[in-house]
Structure formats: structure tokens, C-alpha cells
Amino acid sequence: MRCKMQRSITTDLQNLFSYAFIERVPYHFIVPKKNNYLELAISERHNCCLSCNNNFITTFKNDTNVFITKDKLAKQESIYQTLGLEWNKPNKGENYIYRQNGFCQECFAKEYSKLPAQQEVYKMAKDIFDADIALINDAKELMTETIKKWLSGIETLDDVKNLELNTYLDIRNYLLNLCSNDFSINELLTNYEYDITNKIALLKGKLTLLEQDKLNLFVQIDNSVYESLSDELYNEYTVLMPTENSTGYFYYNFSISVDKINLFLEQERVGNVFELINEVGFSDIWVEWFLEYVTTLNK
Ligand SMILES: [Zn+2]
């Protein structure tokens, strides 16, 4: 009973948002073949901003060579050319600087109004996803507040005895019931549902009007996330692993499937207060607060 249920609406939403906008390749184990891959020593990625021309460097912790597909290497050549850099095709095992272009965070904000109108799709989807996550974080805060408020209202040991909270499960059920009946938690959910329903309808309408299967969009990528040097799969051979101190975001241009965006939009969301509480998860610290509080009443 104490462990969080395995199935989580929020985890599913997170996975689908990543599936639509971030992780574009599945895990597949293969040993890279010479005719499709080239192995290189890559310790840095240089993200070059197309607007300010600054280089944002991510360092990798890979201590062995990484395998890049021939397709991806051809793309590297065109990125080097776009950046006005001399291209020398690397040989097997050579040190190589992996480059990407796009926008840094600051320039993305500045250039936003000049980007094609369809870029709005990403902003709208990200707003929806941010609201999904904020709901859980806000609910957790409200549940904590609700429990603290209830505790501070208990004045005597008799008050507690009347509640018949004799076991862990009694306390847990009582606290969960308290939260599910709390006005502010229910109001939070009602506001979220209203907001998210409108946002999803607006984005679905926009996608229908665009009448496209794929959209070229700039997408925010966390610099600390791994990157595969194959466009079809990722595995131990193809992945660049950023070091722990990698921070910030960069905006890459990707071709995004509208079907995948729709999967994210149509995915089940939190629909009632019990689901919401389940998503937040029960925190044993709340039981500890209660037990500690009762001790102070004993004195
Ligand atoms: Zn920039």
C-alpha cells in the first residue's frame, strides 16, 4: 500500500510529450557495421546559435568511441557548411567536434516573431504539458497545506481519540479523505480541466487548419539529455552522454509528426480528485507529522 501505483497518468503524459517532441528514436541493440557507421572520439558538442553566432559547448563523459551513421555524418557536413566552417571528413577513431545549429534561449525569444506561424504549435503543446505538470506540483503543495491546517486545528488528545486513528491505514485514509474534500484542491482541478480543455481544443483546431502530416518546428532540448548519432535508433554505441554539469537549453529544428502530437493531446488526463491525489502520491511524512503532533498533545 505504501508504494506508489505503477501506472501514472503523469508519467504517461511525460512519455508521450517526449515521444512527440524529444526522443525521436527507439532503443535497439545492434553492433554497428563498418559500412553504415564511422566510429569517432567525440568529447564535445558545439551548439552554434544561428542568430548571435555564439557557441554553446556540451561536454560528454563517453570514454570510448561513439558510432555515427553515414547519414548523420552527411548532415554534419551540411551543418559545418551552413556555419561557414571548413569540412574535413574525419577518419576512423579521430577526434571530432560534433556540431548542431539552432537558437540559444535568448535568441529564440528574440527571433520568435520572425519564425513561421506553425511554430506556435510547439508553444501551445508545451503550455499544455507545463499545465499537466504544474497541476501535480500545485496539488502536492495544497495537500501539504491542508494536512498542516487540520493538524493545527486539533487541540486536545480527546479530539484525536474520537477520530479512531489506530493504524497507519486509518491515518492514511483519513488524510486522503481530508484532501479529496478540500475546497482548494477541488478548485485547482476544476480550473485545470477548464484551462486544459480549451487549450487542447485550440491546438487541435490549429493542427487541422495546417493540414500537414509533419511540421518543421524549433523544439527546446535540454543540454543534459543524451543524443543518439543515429536517426533510427539509440544504443550503447550511438549515444553521446553529457556530463552531470551540463545545463541550459538549446532550440533545434526538427520535423515533428502531427499524429504524435495528437497522441499527446488525446492521452488520458487527470479527471477527478481521487486520480489527482493518486498522481501526487501519499507521503509518509504526513503520518509522521500527525504522530509527532499527537506526542505534543500527550505532554
Ligand atoms: Zn543566440
Side-chain angles (χ1 to χ4, degrees):
M1 289 297 285
R2 288 187 195 209
C3 55
K4 218 179 155 193
M5 278 176 67
Q6 274 197 323
R7 190 185 166 275
S8 155
I9 295 172
T10 313
T11 309
D12 288 348
L13 286 170
Q14 267 164 338
N15 289 339
L16 275 169
F17 186 79
S18 298
Y19 177 62
F21 294 105
I22 299 166
E23 283 170 10
R24 292 152 304 125
V25 293
Y27 178 84
H28 182 58
F29 185 83
I30 46 113
V31 178
K33 294 209 177 85
K34 267 187 196 161
N35 50 340
N36 293 327
Y37 288 86
L38 180 68
E39 62 172 292
L40 295 170
I42 300 176
S43 57
E44 285 181 357
R45 174 179 57 213
H46 291 202
N47 284 335
C48 184
C49 176
L50 295 168
S51 179
C52 68
N53 292 321
N54 283 325
N55 254 339
F56 298 84
I57 299 173
T58 306
T59 46
F60 299 113
K61 57 184 175 190
N62 299 58
D63 48 14
T64 54
N65 287 346
V66 191
F67 290 73
I68 184 166
T69 60
K70 296 276 164 80
D71 289 353
K72 199 93 171 168
L73 195 61
K75 275 187 205 161
Q76 281 292 295
E77 183 175 0
S78 80
I79 288 172
Y80 267 67
Q81 279 162 357
T82 308
L83 296 173
L85 297 163
E86 195 190 337
W87 171 256
N88 296 308
K89 193 173 177 237
N91 295 311
K92 184 187 167 185
E94 264 181 13
N95 286 322
Y96 178 74
I97 293 174
Y98 181 70
R99 294 181 197 268
Q100 287 282 18
N101 54 17
F103 289 119
C104 71
Q105 273 176 284
E106 235 171 85
C107 292
F108 179 74
K110 273 189 242 160
E111 301 286 330
Y112 191 81
S113 59
K114 292 178 225 159
L115 295 173
Q118 66 185 33
Q119 181 63 40
E120 192 73 7
V121 167
Y122 178 65
K123 188 174 188 288
M124 292 165 87
K126 180 95 177 32
D127 275 353
I128 292 167
F129 181 58
D130 288 345
D132 293 329
I133 300 301
L135 171 71
I136 308 305
N137 293 333
D138 293 349
K140 184 165 190 139
E141 244 172 68
L142 288 178
M143 282 170 76
T144 304
E145 269 174 40
T146 303
I147 290 162
K148 279 186 174 167
K149 210 164 90 187
W150 170 70
L151 280 178
S152 66
I154 301 174
E155 287 174 352
T156 67
L157 210 52
D158 281 341
D159 290 348
V160 181
K161 278 182 184 149
N162 292 336
L163 297 171
E164 295 187 5
L165 302 177
N166 302 317
T167 65
Y168 170 84
L169 214 59
D170 289 343
I171 302 166
R172 183 193 154 100
N173 289 340
Y174 188 86
L175 295 180
L176 289 177
N177 192 40
L178 203 68
C179 291
S180 66
N181 287 309
D182 180 75
F183 176 77
S184 57
I185 294 171
N186 281 281
E187 192 187 35
L188 173 77
L189 179 60
T190 310
N191 290 340
Y192 160 80
E193 283 177 318
Y194 178 79
D195 180 47
I196 213 90
T197 308
N198 283 332
K199 281 178 170 160
I200 290 173
L202 275 174
L203 181 47
K204 286 192 83 90
K206 191 169 182 77
L207 290 173
T208 310
L209 282 176
L210 283 170
E211 283 186 324
Q212 287 181 63
D213 299 333
K214 299 227 170 207
L215 298 169
N216 270 317
L217 301 173
F218 280 95
V219 168
Q220 186 190 68
I221 298 294
D222 191 324
N223 288 333
S224 67
V225 171
Y226 73 84
E227 177 169 355
S228 176
L229 296 184
S230 159
D231 284 334
E232 270 101 53
L233 54 86
Y234 80 90
N235 63 41
E236 293 79 345
Y237 291 108
T238 71
V239 158
L240 292 168
M241 298 297 293
T243 52
E244 274 76 17
N245 56 10
S246 309
T247 54
Y249 298 97
F250 201 73
Y251 288 83
Y252 295 154
N253 194 255
F254 289 143
S255 171
I256 306 285
S257 144
V258 170
D259 283 348
K260 287 185 183 178
I261 301 175
N262 277 318
L263 277 181
F264 166 69
L265 296 179
E266 284 156 18
Q267 175 65 15
E268 183 196 358
R269 288 182 157 73
V270 171
N272 61 56
V273 73
F274 303 104
E275 282 178 355
L276 177 56
I277 288 169
N278 191 45
E279 287 299 303
V280 172
F282 186 79
S283 176
D284 282 339
I285 192 91
W286 297 331
V287 176
E288 281 169 35
W289 288 348
F290 171 73
L291 295 175
E292 271 168 31
Y293 191 76
V294 172
T295 328
T296 66
L297 293 175
N298 270 327
K299 281 173 193 162

